[in-house]
Amino acid sequence: MVITAHTPCTRLCDGPWGHSHDGRACHGAPYSPLHPPGCQRSAPSPPNPRGRRGERERGGGSERPGIIKAAGTAQPARPRRPDPLRSPPHHVTPPTTQLRRSPLAMALFGALFLALLAGAQAELPGCKIRITSKALELVKQEGLRFLEQELETITIPDLRGKEGYFYYNISEVKVTELQLTSSELHFQPEQELMLQISNASLGLRFRRQLLYWFFYDGGYINASAEGVSIRTALQLSRDPTGRIKVSNVSCQALVSRMHAAFGGTFKKVYEFLSTFITSGMRFLLNQQICPVLYHAGMVLLNSLLDTVPVRSNVDELVGIDYSLLKDPAASASNLDMDFRGAFFPLAEGNWSLPNRAVEPQLREEERMVYVAFSEFFFDSAMESYFRAGALKLSLVGDKVPHDLDMLLRATYFGSIVLLSPAVIDSPLKLELRVLAPPRCTIKPSGTTVSVTASVTIALVPSDQPEVQLSSMIMDTRLSAKVALRGKALRVQLDLRRFRIYSNQSALESLALIPLQTPLKTMLQIGVMPMLNERMWRGVQIPLPEGINFVREVVTNHAGFLTIGADLHFAKGLREVIEKNRPVSTSDTSASSAPPPATTAA
């Protein structure tokens, strides 16, 4: 008989790694780290070859827990649960917690991914311009003067009517004057630029004609429209070519009351009919103000914005790209515009330098306008000139300073005397060639430009190949002073550091030490003035024609510089618009009509 324990506390799988003491694996036993209350693990005992037996005393005694089975072949021990303090069986997989994927969490993750992707692909601006609210007062004065001239062009259709036996006709209505007593121009985040005019008045003059039976009366009458309120908003955006445009004009106009001074034989009759006449004229006037403002914004102001350079030539070698990278961003106090600000060689119109510079930041609001340039702006200019082959200089014969010519011939006398007599007295040639695009570094302490160039000294006999005497490397560091005059950004360079060395041997570099000072003097006297003359021409800033900068202040930062200035109208707004007015107005007349919802009666 074999007695097998049935108590839950009994553990037969107390062997290591979840095996029984007889070496068999405890398969099929559930894995649980908890023991039943009061359960103690049994200590392992050596296997009994005779087996564990339990017997019940017949006729009395306590009953031992167990089941008495018939004798026969010994059954394998029941698998015991493994020890939780030891490693779990390799076939048991610990329970895992399934994460719930909330739709909101997935949407936030997708939005974050798209934002990171868009940020990685967004192009950084090389130039930024901020127009502050301080500039709006100057713009408003010039704009209201232009607006008065536009409103004086209002044309009101003839007004005809009949009242009993009276027939009247009002024609040739013209605006004679406009008085804007209260106006406000400010930035608005949703509409970019908002103009509000309140309590304005219009002076009118029209022709009257009255027929009563066989009596006729005619003449001209002066009238006035009072309590005129105008609210118009200009929405600025970027067009497909990268130019800033007025993309929409919303308008609301209201004339509160009108008064007409009638006279003549039928004065009493006109006063009786004045209610019908002035009401009709006020309605027609309300309908004519907004179309004039819509045409002024969509056609005339856009012709002014067409004078802002987008992609233009700087000289015969290099051009500049001032394309807007995105729509202008307006806040309550300023309007910010991001421009590409990249130069390019005209021979390679599609070439562009990757912008890895620091993005310029504009935080000031004390001046009317701020312009910021990053190191990329200047690096693209120098690399464009380098690719165009402009960064090289060759001085031959009389172009080489006389003192320098004598010093160079004395320095290389040993090499010259070994040449043929026909070559010894040949003109001397000094060639400077920039080896790599110069790089600009902007720090709060100043702006510097690093240049590495090769200097080649040779004799140039007539009708013979030139004979090279020496070749050396020149490292220079130039300090750059940036200024803004009118609308031209100018740079003046000054030589600060100069070093020459040989790329052949250190011994030859020591021999070049006597040439250090003469070559530096030659650069300061002969090369730098030529370079500054070309740099002083400047490059135009993206502003409309007729507007200039005054009272400029340049401030250096880490990786970019800012220029704060005030604005000055060198030309009147009307003068610039008339100069650039579209030649054909037939196409623009249809587009100059505002949507019906923009005009308020």
Side-chain angles (χ1 to χ4, degrees), residues 364 367 369-373 378 442-444 446-447 480-485 488-491 550-557 560-565:
E364 300 87 350
R367 308 297 292 272
V369 62
Y370 287 90
V371 187
F373 301 96
F378 302 98
I442 302 177
K443 296 181 179 179
T447 304
K481 182 179 180 181
V482 181
L484 192 60
R485 297 292 183 269
L489 181 70
R490 299 174 176 176
V491 179
V550 293
R551 296 182 291 274
E552 308 89 354
V553 176
V554 180
T555 305
N556 280 37
H557 303 273
F560 64 95
L561 60 86
T562 59
I563 302 176

Side-chain angles (χ1 to χ4, degrees), residues 66-143:
I67 300 176
I68 301 176
K69 296 182 179 181
T73 306
Q75 299 295 326
R78 182 181 179 181
R80 299 179 64 94
R81 294 180 180 179
D83 189 353
L85 299 179
R86 300 175 181 176
S87 299
H90 65 279
H91 62 279
V92 178
T93 303
T96 58
T97 303
Q98 184 178 2
L99 297 177
R100 290 188 175 182
R101 298 181 178 179
S102 171
L104 178 60
M106 295 299 294
L108 292 176
F109 176 77
L112 179 61
F113 175 76
L114 293 177
L116 293 176
L117 183 62
Q121 297 178 351
E123 182 179 356
L124 296 178
C127 172
K128 283 187 175 183
I129 293 182
R130 164 172 289 184
I131 300 176
T132 67
S133 57
K134 297 183 181 296
L136 294 185
E137 187 62 31
L138 178 65
V139 175
K140 185 183 72 172
Q141 295 175 6
E142 192 66 27

